[in-house]
Amino acid sequence: MMRVTFIHADGQGRTEAEAQPGDILLDVAQAHLMPLEGTCEGQMACSTCHVIVDRADFDRLPPASEMEEDMLDLASGARRTSRLACQIVLTPAMDGLTVHIPAESRNMQAPR
């Protein structure tokens, strides 16, 4: 098992989540009711699953593709360490990853 920490949009709350190598970060976030829409189902037709990766963890992720960088240009509140959660496949090297939910995030899906 791996651990992922989600820092809530208010900057105060945090959710610790367990994940398996190979899990997609968006799926882990949604399973723990994080407000990430991700309605394009990983096709990078939107930026609604945008997260801000903690600076200390950013270099543990593979580089973003050119297409992902283009989509991040459309993300509200994007930062230098922003990534699309649908594009992050967790690996053992990412154990302990911390990501911040942007204040601009929204979830239009029904609560689970």
Side-chain angles (χ1 to χ4, degrees):
M1 278 295 188
M2 301 174 50
R3 307 256 337 135
V4 177
T5 301
F6 295 95
I7 306 296
H8 298 194
D10 65 7
Q12 302 300 312
R14 57 191 304 126
T15 297
E16 302 283 335
E18 289 187 348
Q20 296 285 340
D23 285 351
I24 296 170
L25 185 62
L26 177 59
D27 295 338
V28 175
Q30 289 181 335
H32 288 83
L33 304 178
M34 295 295 101
L36 298 177
E37 190 172 338
T39 57
C40 74
E41 299 180 359
Q43 300 303 309
M44 286 195 285
C46 64
S47 57
T48 59
C49 67
H50 158 236
V51 294
I52 302 167
V53 178
D54 196 79
R55 280 184 200 264
D57 294 334
F58 188 72
D59 290 335
R60 295 196 288 158
L61 276 64
S65 68
E66 187 174 323
M67 185 186 283
E68 181 180 357
E69 288 181 2
D70 288 346
M71 289 312 303
L72 285 167
D73 288 341
L74 305 173
S76 179
R79 306 287 189 273
R80 189 169 296 206
T81 61
S82 290
R83 294 293 302 269
L84 298 180
C86 69
Q87 297 300 302
I88 299 174
V89 178
L90 298 172
T91 66
M94 295 178 204
D95 188 23
L97 181 70
T98 298
V99 297
H100 302 258
I101 304 298
E104 299 84 359
S105 67
R106 65 191 184 288
N107 187 353
M108 299 179 74
Q109 297 175 347
R112 297 175 194 208

